[in-house]
Amino acid sequence: MEQELMRIGVSLPENLLTKFDGIIEQRGYSSRSEGIRDAIRSYITHYEWMSDVKGRRVATITLIYDHTKRGLTSSLTEIQHEHSALIKTSIHIHLDHDNCLEVVILDGEGQEVKTIAEKLMALKGVKYVKLNTAQPTESH
């Protein structure tokens, strides 16, 4: 049985749409809709994977953000201080005048690691967040 398609409207900055259109062309999609459906499926799969992060995990959270965004740096610092028991270290690199890359290395309960990543994702001015986790090997 075919699923009914629902029409939605999305507002995007021109530069984001231009990049997306380029990807659609390179990947051979027949339409923006096809590309958007694929992107949404990928997002849902990633969300479901993140929802299953349980037990002790070692992890990295990689983020790129605009440090000139008012209040962002202090919000990032506050979140990291709230969860300092899990954070082992972080690396901070200045990419250009406005943008920074930060990699946070964590060790602790998977659900709390996921919570930190989600808090960082929600901040305005954060352009990219990627959580990677692994179960630490058991010593014998």
Side-chain angles (χ1 to χ4, degrees), residues 89-130:
T89 193
S90 64
I91 302 165
H92 182 98
I93 300 168
H94 303 280
L95 298 175
D96 56 36
H97 184 269
D98 295 339
N99 296 290
C100 297
L101 171 114
E102 194 158 339
V103 179
V104 182
I105 302 171
L106 311 99
D107 184 352
E109 172 54 41
Q111 290 293 8
E112 194 172 351
V113 167
K114 183 184 109 166
T115 296
I116 296 167
E118 289 173 338
K119 285 181 180 179
L120 296 171
M121 285 177 195
L123 296 173
K124 285 204 181 291
V126 173
K127 299 176 177 182
Y128 172 87
V129 176
K130 179 72 173 183

Side-chain angles (χ1 to χ4, degrees), residues 6-10 36 40:
M6 306 298 293
R7 185 174 297 271
I8 62 169
V10 179
I36 289 169
I40 290 172

Side-chain angles (χ1 to χ4, degrees), residues 5 9 18 26 61 67 81 94 109 122 124:
L5 296 178
T18 300
Q26 285 178 342
I61 301 173
H67 83 95
H81 279 270
H94 303 280
E109 172 54 41
K124 285 204 181 291

Side-chain angles (χ1 to χ4, degrees), residues 31-46:
S31 67
R32 280 183 180 159
S33 291
E34 188 180 331
I36 289 169
R37 282 190 293 271
D38 192 39
I40 290 172
R41 280 191 289 271
S42 177
Y43 183 82
I44 290 169
T45 300
H46 179 72

